[in-house]
Amino acid sequence: MGVRGLKLMKKSILILSTFLTIALASCEKAAVVVEPLAAKTAKNIAASPNVSLTGQPVAPTGKFTLFSFANGEVANADSASTKWDIGFRGTIIMLNGGTSGPGQAGVIMKDGLFDDFKEITETTFFQDAKPAFAITASSGKGWYNYNAATNIISPIPGKVFLVKTADGKFAKFEVVSYYKDAPAVIEQTTPARYYTIRYIYQPDGSKKLI
């Protein structure tokens, strides 16, 4: 084999090696599996639990209990920040945005199954605007129904809230229960104002909630 033949062979080997490297890199990227987001549950978020008239939809004065989707826990330490997303006081749910806080938080109320909302397609989120709250704080119009005969608060079935968080990310939640430990059977003496919520938080900034 002459010099020219050797050069052509080396060139062919180099091209083949480059091709294989690219192909292997592509396979490695294709093999990356993105784990689906798992729904989480936050229990017993206390919202004025010591007020009398256990199950009535009162909105007592005082501080809200603040909650962070990112951390999945109560975040009362700094209300004048974006470290919290929503707040609870009695039957009122407020958002860290608009007139209720320094964040970007807003909400879109939806009717349907929690699992059916896999991506947020809307761009307009509603914020608190005193004296009103974006999540309506009255029976049958917001998140709950109130039975005056039994003084029992029940979450409206199929009511899902799509949320822009205080720092501009996205989440969704539904209220599971308004009573301590989320019992299956509610009585007039069951301790109230202990929210249980189910939620999914998307940490990457996208609107995908799966």
Side-chain angles (χ1 to χ4, degrees):
M1 182 181 293
V3 175
R4 184 177 180 184
L6 287 172
K7 287 183 178 180
L8 287 172
M9 182 179 291
K10 289 181 180 179
K11 186 176 182 180
S12 298
I13 292 172
L14 179 61
I15 292 172
L16 179 60
S17 176
T18 302
F19 174 79
L20 289 173
T21 300
I22 294 173
L24 287 171
S26 298
C27 289
E28 289 176 359
K29 289 181 179 180
V32 174
V33 177
V34 178
E35 293 294 331
L37 296 172
K40 298 180 180 180
T41 299
K43 283 190 171 184
N44 294 333
I45 304 172
S48 305
N50 298 321
V51 176
S52 61
L53 303 174
T54 302
Q56 290 194 4
V58 296
T61 57
K63 293 182 178 181
F64 282 79
T65 298
L66 309 179
F67 181 83
S68 165
F69 288 116
N71 298 326
E73 58 188 27
V74 171
N76 285 337
D78 190 0
S79 60
S81 74
T82 58
K83 295 179 180 179
W84 61 279
D85 301 303
I86 55 176
F88 303 89
R89 189 181 72 190
T91 51
I92 293 176
I93 300 177
M94 75 170 182
L95 302 162
N96 188 354
T99 56
S100 293
Q104 304 175 48
V107 69
I108 301 169
M109 294 186 287
K110 291 286 191 179
D111 294 315
L113 298 177
F114 182 85
D115 291 337
D116 286 347
F117 296 99
K118 303 180 185 301
E119 185 173 7
I120 299 174
T121 57
E122 295 89 346
T123 57
T124 300
F125 290 80
F126 297 92
Q127 295 186 315
D128 293 352
K130 287 183 179 178
F133 293 89
I135 299 176
T136 308
S138 61
S139 177
K141 297 180 179 179
W143 67 267
Y144 70 91
N145 287 318
Y146 169 60
N147 186 325
T150 61
N151 283 340
I152 288 177
I153 299 287
S154 302
I156 297 174
K159 188 65 69 174
V160 181
F161 302 92
L162 308 181
V163 178
K164 176 186 280 188
T165 66
D167 61 356
K169 294 181 180 177
F170 299 94
K172 65 177 177 179
F173 79 94
E174 63 180 352
V175 179
V176 176
S177 178
Y178 187 61
Y179 294 86
K180 192 170 185 179
D181 298 326
V185 178
I186 308 297
E187 300 176 350
Q188 288 186 332
T189 56
T190 304
R193 302 181 187 85
Y194 290 91
Y195 283 81
T196 292
I197 64 170
R198 183 187 182 205
Y199 71 95
I200 283 181
Y201 168 73
Q202 176 54 272
D204 70 7
S206 76
K207 293 183 177 181
K208 292 186 180 296
L209 298 174
I210 57 175

